[in-house]
Amino acid sequence: MHWATILMVAGLCGTSLGQYNEEEDMAWLQYYMRQSRMSSYNYMPYYEDENTPYVYSYLPAPDTEAEPGPEPQQAPSWQCPQECDCPPNFSSAMYCDTRNLRYLPFVPSRMKYVYFQNNLITAIQEGAFDNATELEWLALHNNQIASEKMGKRVFAKLKRLERLYMNNNNLTKVPSPLPRSLRELHLSYNQISKVPSNALEGLENLTALYLSHNFIFEMGGTLKGLKSLILVDLSYNHLRKVPDGLPMALEQLYLEYNYINAIPDDYFKVSPKLLYVRMSHNSLTNQGLSTNTFNSSSILELDLSYNRLQKIPRVSTNLENLYLQGNQINEFSISSFCSVVDVMNYSRLQVLRLDGNEMKRSAVPPDAPLCLRRATVIEI
């Protein structure tokens, strides 16, 4: 995992911590972060197979590591399933992780945070959580749960559920219906091949959607109604076209390692807050792009490396980091960065990667230093 992901994790973890101000909620989270580092949650995309040498420029967030909490004590058996721990210090949390469980134990009604990760669970029976309607966090990742062994409405009564972790299972479809309260949905590393347009219907509070490392070949208009969505990770799938209808609130879009060869005109214009776009390791060509596809003033970082581009696409002067290595680019067009080159008009670009193309250093025009005066790294 490179430094950029680590910095993004730190930033989002800082955001998550700020959402819980009650003393009890902070106490359980402090303890869990300290005791369960080996199975801690990754709030940002993680790319185990990615070995690219460059560094993405996400700004670091303040250190959010919690102070050590008090040691838990085993609650009386009548308050907690015998397979789990329910520390009285954190009365709304139940720890059933990493215990070779093959089934879901009973969840007491007082629970808000329940952890079943790193087990051997294959099924979720109908009504498994009907008694625990106060649940806010539900961790089921790193199990063997199959879609056909899940009740049709297992999450329907969880009206307060905000985070659902089901990554690293055997799911072949997105669980549905999901609570409207959901804010984070983690479904990476499953076997999902298609996401119907109504699969996430009504999730207006969803801010982060993780679907990387699946077999998704079609998204349709799934994202259109997700008006609060800030981050969507669809990397390492089988997409041949970009998903329709990006949300207006979107800030981070990850589509690398797919088979996308074209992008519609004005595709990014509907998301005026979009900051980071990753589309490396696709099949993009200049013929599949309009003149101003990436000329969006909000985008700060754009990764188009390892595609089939022959020319540098036109980008906004606000762009700060552009990765184009591993393409077929054979010319350095200064107009891609500056429509006018003078003292007052210049690009804010800081990092430009053009190595691994068909271009020689001599192709750089003499006015490039004036246009790219902010650049600290230019690799050709």
Side-chain angles (χ1 to χ4, degrees):
M1 179 184 299
H2 48 64
W3 281 110
T5 306
I6 294 173
L7 296 179
M8 292 165 62
V9 171
L12 287 190
C13 285
T15 300
S16 298
L17 286 173
Q19 294 167 353
Y20 298 93
N21 296 318
E22 296 180 6
E23 181 177 350
E24 179 189 80
D25 290 348
M26 185 57 70
W28 75 259
L29 184 54
Q30 289 170 350
Y31 169 74
Y32 189 72
M33 287 181 66
R34 181 168 63 88
Q35 294 292 327
S36 304
R37 290 181 187 276
M38 294 303 294
S39 58
S40 60
Y41 304 117
N42 190 346
Y43 296 108
M44 289 303 301
Y46 41 92
Y47 303 102
E48 294 181 351
D49 299 328
E50 183 174 281
N51 295 311
T52 49
Y54 51 90
V55 176
Y56 293 94
S57 61
Y58 299 103
L59 294 176
D63 186 9
T64 58
E65 185 171 352
E67 293 296 326
E71 291 292 339
Q73 298 179 3
Q74 180 64 48
S77 59
W78 61 270
Q79 294 181 355
C80 186
Q82 63 179 1
E83 303 91 341
C84 308
D85 290 326
C86 306
N89 315 68
F90 322 126
S91 59
S92 57
M94 187 169 84
Y95 303 97
C96 310
D97 54 300
T98 321
R99 298 164 194 246
N100 292 320
L101 296 180
R102 298 180 180 274
Y103 59 91
L104 286 173
F106 173 78
V107 182
S109 60
R110 71 178 186 280
M111 295 304 170
K112 293 182 180 180
Y113 317 104
V114 178
Y115 303 94
F116 292 114
Q117 74 270 21
N118 304 325
N119 281 297
L120 303 172
I121 299 169
T122 59
I124 305 178
Q125 65 273 23
E126 194 73 69
F129 305 113
D130 284 4
N131 185 61
T133 56
E134 301 296 310
L135 278 181
E136 296 179 13
W137 289 48
L138 179 55
L140 291 160
H141 54 286
N142 297 329
N143 277 286
Q144 300 172 15
I145 301 170
S147 294
E148 61 272 17
K149 294 185 178 181
M150 288 181 59
K152 294 182 179 180
R153 298 181 60 82
V154 292
F155 305 120
K157 294 187 178 181
L158 303 181
K159 305 299 184 183
R160 298 188 179 184
L161 190 66
E162 295 186 356
R163 288 171 175 81
L164 177 60
Y165 299 85
M166 295 197 72
N167 39 297
N168 289 91
N169 276 285
N170 297 325
L171 300 177
T172 54
K173 61 182 181 181
V174 176
S176 183
L178 292 166
R180 292 176 178 266
S181 56
L182 206 60
R183 297 181 62 184
E184 289 185 15
L185 180 57
H186 297 251
L187 295 172
S188 298
Y189 291 93
N190 276 286
Q191 300 171 22
I192 299 169
S193 60
K194 185 177 181 181
V195 183
S197 295
N198 63 347
L200 304 174
E201 188 174 5
L203 301 187
E204 296 184 355
N205 294 308
L206 194 68
T207 60
L209 175 61
Y210 300 90
L211 281 165
S212 70
H213 294 87
N214 277 282
F215 303 97
I216 299 171
F217 64 89
E218 183 178 343
M219 282 292 292
T222 307
L223 305 179
K224 285 185 177 179
L226 306 179
K227 65 179 185 179
S228 299
L229 195 65
I230 294 175
L231 181 154
V232 58
D233 184 0
L234 285 162
S235 58
Y236 292 89
N237 276 289
H238 294 172
L239 293 173
R240 296 189 176 275
K241 57 176 292 187
V242 290
D244 297 333
L246 296 183
M248 287 188 62
L250 195 67
E251 296 180 6
Q252 302 175 50
L253 176 64
Y254 304 109
L255 291 168
E256 62 265 48
Y257 288 92
N258 278 284
Y259 301 94
I260 299 168
N261 57 22
I263 302 175
D265 294 347
D266 299 326
Y267 179 70
F268 299 108
K269 301 292 185 183
V270 297
S271 301
K273 298 180 180 180
L274 191 60
L275 300 173
Y276 307 107
V277 177
R278 286 188 187 178
M279 297 194 68
S280 68
H281 297 272
N282 275 280
S283 302
L284 291 173
T285 65
N286 290 96
Q287 290 72 31
L289 306 176
S290 69
T291 304
N292 289 302
T293 298
F294 298 109
N295 191 11
S296 173
S297 60
S298 66
I299 299 177
L300 298 181
E301 187 159 292
L302 177 62
D303 186 354
L304 299 175
S305 58
Y306 302 100
N307 278 280
R308 300 176 184 175
L309 299 174
Q310 295 179 315
K311 296 181 179 180
I312 301 173
R314 186 175 181 182
V315 295
S316 167
T317 55
N318 290 330
L319 188 69
E320 295 181 358
N321 298 278
L322 177 60
Y323 303 98
L324 288 167
Q325 68 269 31
N327 278 279
Q328 302 167 14
I329 299 171
N330 54 26
E331 65 178 65
F332 193 112
S333 51
I334 200 68
S335 59
S336 297
F337 308 102
C338 301
S339 56
V340 177
V341 182
D342 56 32
V343 176
M344 300 300 295
N345 296 282
Y346 56 90
S347 170
R348 276 69 175 174
L349 203 65
Q350 297 175 19
V351 176
L352 174 61
R353 291 285 306 274
L354 284 164
D355 46 309
N357 280 282
E358 300 174 7
M359 184 192 311
K360 297 180 180 180
R361 289 183 177 274
S362 58
V364 180
D367 53 353
L370 187 59
C371 169
L372 302 175
R373 66 186 71 171
R374 291 280 187 90
T376 57
V377 176
I378 297 179
E379 296 191 16
I380 297 177

